[in-house]
Amino acid sequence: MQSGAHYVPYLFTEISIRGNFNVHHQFWLSSPLADHHGELTYKFAILHDLEQLVQYPIRVPDRLGDTPNILDLVLTDSPSAYAVILSSPSGSSDHNLISVSCPNSPISSHDPSKRRCLCRLPLPVGGT
Protein backbone atom coordinates (compact mmCIF):
# COMPACT_ATOMS: atom_id res chain seq x y z
CA MET A 1 0.00 0.00 0.00
CA GLN A 2 1.29 3.45 -0.91
CA SER A 3 2.10 5.70 2.01
CA GLY A 4 -0.67 8.21 2.58
CA ALA A 5 -3.29 6.24 0.63
CA HIS A 6 -6.72 5.84 2.18
CA TYR A 7 -8.75 2.69 1.54
CA VAL A 8 -12.47 2.58 2.32
CA PRO A 9 -14.53 -0.60 1.73
CA TYR A 10 -17.76 -0.17 -0.25
CA LEU A 11 -20.20 -2.89 -1.22
CA PHE A 12 -22.23 -1.05 -3.86
CA THR A 13 -19.84 1.42 -5.43
CA GLU A 14 -19.92 2.40 -9.07
CA ILE A 15 -16.52 2.83 -10.67
CA SER A 16 -16.13 5.49 -13.35
CA ILE A 17 -12.73 6.68 -14.58
CA ARG A 18 -12.50 9.21 -17.40
CA GLY A 19 -9.64 11.08 -18.98
CA ASN A 20 -7.01 11.51 -21.66
CA PHE A 21 -4.70 8.65 -20.79
CA ASN A 22 -2.62 8.74 -23.98
CA VAL A 23 -1.93 5.01 -23.67
CA HIS A 24 -1.67 2.53 -26.53
CA HIS A 25 -2.83 -1.06 -26.79
CA GLN A 26 -3.19 -2.98 -30.07
CA PHE A 27 -6.00 -5.34 -29.11
CA TRP A 28 -7.97 -3.14 -26.75
CA LEU A 29 -7.65 0.36 -28.24
CA SER A 30 -6.91 -0.49 -31.89
CA SER A 31 -3.54 1.25 -31.67
CA PRO A 32 -0.81 0.41 -34.19
CA LEU A 33 1.45 -0.42 -31.22
CA ALA A 34 1.23 -1.27 -27.53
CA ASP A 35 3.10 0.46 -24.74
CA HIS A 36 3.76 -0.44 -21.11
CA HIS A 37 1.16 2.00 -19.77
CA GLY A 38 -1.43 0.69 -22.23
CA GLU A 39 -0.83 -2.84 -20.99
CA LEU A 40 -1.08 -1.74 -17.34
CA THR A 41 -4.32 0.17 -18.01
CA TYR A 42 -5.78 -2.84 -19.83
CA LYS A 43 -4.89 -5.17 -16.94
CA PHE A 44 -6.35 -2.70 -14.42
CA ALA A 45 -9.63 -2.60 -16.37
CA ILE A 46 -9.81 -6.40 -16.55
CA LEU A 47 -8.96 -6.79 -12.85
CA HIS A 48 -11.76 -4.41 -11.82
CA ASP A 49 -14.35 -5.55 -14.41
CA LEU A 50 -14.31 -2.18 -16.17
CA GLU A 51 -15.57 -1.65 -19.68
CA GLN A 52 -14.03 0.91 -22.04
CA LEU A 53 -16.93 2.94 -23.50
CA VAL A 54 -15.08 4.96 -26.16
CA GLN A 55 -15.13 2.72 -29.22
CA TYR A 56 -14.08 5.14 -31.96
CA PRO A 57 -10.83 7.03 -32.58
CA ILE A 58 -10.49 10.38 -30.86
CA ARG A 59 -7.33 11.53 -32.61
CA VAL A 60 -7.79 12.53 -36.24
CA PRO A 61 -4.71 11.83 -38.42
CA ASP A 62 -3.36 15.17 -39.65
CA ARG A 63 0.04 14.12 -41.01
CA LEU A 64 1.20 11.46 -43.46
CA GLY A 65 1.76 8.21 -41.57
CA ASP A 66 -0.50 9.14 -38.62
CA THR A 67 -3.21 6.70 -37.65
CA PRO A 68 -6.48 7.28 -35.80
CA ASN A 69 -6.16 6.54 -32.07
CA ILE A 70 -8.38 6.10 -29.05
CA LEU A 71 -6.66 8.26 -26.43
CA ASP A 72 -9.54 9.29 -24.18
CA LEU A 73 -10.88 6.52 -22.01
CA VAL A 74 -14.17 6.13 -20.16
CA LEU A 75 -13.85 3.08 -17.93
CA THR A 76 -16.82 1.94 -15.87
CA ASP A 77 -18.39 -1.10 -14.30
CA SER A 78 -21.87 0.27 -15.17
CA PRO A 79 -21.75 0.72 -18.96
CA SER A 80 -25.53 0.81 -19.40
CA ALA A 81 -25.71 3.96 -17.25
CA TYR A 82 -23.67 6.07 -19.69
CA ALA A 83 -24.02 7.48 -23.19
CA VAL A 84 -20.89 8.47 -25.13
CA ILE A 85 -21.21 10.84 -28.09
CA LEU A 86 -18.35 11.71 -30.44
CA SER A 87 -18.45 15.03 -32.33
CA SER A 88 -16.23 16.64 -34.94
CA PRO A 89 -13.11 18.50 -33.82
CA SER A 90 -13.50 22.11 -32.73
CA GLY A 91 -11.41 24.72 -34.54
CA SER A 92 -7.96 23.47 -35.51
CA SER A 93 -7.89 20.60 -32.98
CA ASP A 94 -6.85 17.16 -34.19
CA HIS A 95 -9.06 15.48 -31.55
CA ASN A 96 -12.75 14.74 -31.85
CA LEU A 97 -14.89 16.02 -29.00
CA ILE A 98 -16.24 13.44 -26.60
CA SER A 99 -19.35 13.88 -24.48
CA VAL A 100 -20.27 11.48 -21.69
CA SER A 101 -23.66 11.68 -20.02
CA CYS A 102 -25.19 9.77 -17.16
CA PRO A 103 -28.84 9.93 -16.12
CA ASN A 104 -29.66 10.98 -12.57
CA SER A 105 -31.52 7.76 -11.90
CA PRO A 106 -29.99 5.38 -9.37
CA ILE A 107 -27.78 2.64 -10.72
CA SER A 108 -28.80 -0.92 -9.95
CA SER A 109 -26.96 -2.65 -7.13
CA HIS A 110 -23.83 -4.58 -8.00
CA ASP A 111 -23.23 -8.18 -7.17
CA PRO A 112 -22.87 -8.13 -3.36
CA SER A 113 -20.26 -10.88 -3.53
CA LYS A 114 -17.85 -8.41 -5.17
CA ARG A 115 -16.29 -6.22 -2.51
CA ARG A 116 -14.72 -2.99 -3.67
CA CYS A 117 -12.44 -0.47 -2.06
CA LEU A 118 -12.20 3.20 -2.78
CA CYS A 119 -8.58 4.28 -2.89
CA ARG A 120 -7.69 7.93 -2.70
CA LEU A 121 -4.02 8.52 -3.38
CA PRO A 122 -2.27 11.71 -2.29
CA LEU A 123 -1.15 14.13 -4.98
CA PRO A 124 2.56 14.17 -5.75
CA VAL A 125 4.54 17.02 -4.24
CA GLY A 126 3.86 20.07 -6.42
CA GLY A 127 0.88 18.30 -8.10
CA THR A 128 -2.51 19.84 -8.68
Side-chain angles (χ1 to χ4, degrees):
M1 177 172 12
Q2 183 176 355
S3 176
H6 303 282
Y7 289 89
V8 181
Y10 285 91
L11 289 179
F12 305 109
T13 303
E14 175 194 348
I15 298 175
S16 175
I17 303 170
R18 301 172 293 259
N20 182 336
F21 288 77
N22 203 17
V23 297
H24 305 279
H25 194 278
Q26 289 169 316
F27 168 71
W28 189 42
L29 301 175
S30 303
S31 299
L33 58 102
D35 62 19
H36 178 68
H37 293 104
E39 189 63 34
L40 290 176
T41 305
Y42 177 67
K43 289 178 180 179
F44 177 86
I46 297 294
L47 179 66
H48 296 285
D49 296 321
L50 302 178
E51 186 172 324
Q52 158 58 340
L53 300 184
V54 179
Q55 299 298 317
Y56 300 100
I58 301 299
R59 185 165 188 289
V60 178
D62 61 348
R63 290 183 290 238
L64 188 62
D66 281 354
T67 57
N69 290 316
I70 298 174
L71 301 173
D72 298 326
L73 307 182
V74 178
L75 303 170
T76 184
D77 62 347
S78 300
S80 62
Y82 293 89
V84 176
I85 299 171
L86 229 56
S87 302
S88 298
S90 177
S92 61
S93 175
D94 64 349
H95 289 81
N96 289 318
L97 299 175
I98 186 170
S99 172
V100 180
S101 61
C102 180
N104 291 331
S105 61
I107 296 172
S108 61
S109 298
H110 295 298
D111 181 351
S113 66
K114 290 184 180 178
R115 293 191 55 93
R116 300 203 183 271
C117 286
L118 173 65
C119 177
R120 187 170 206 191
L121 299 174
L123 290 173
V125 175
T128 55

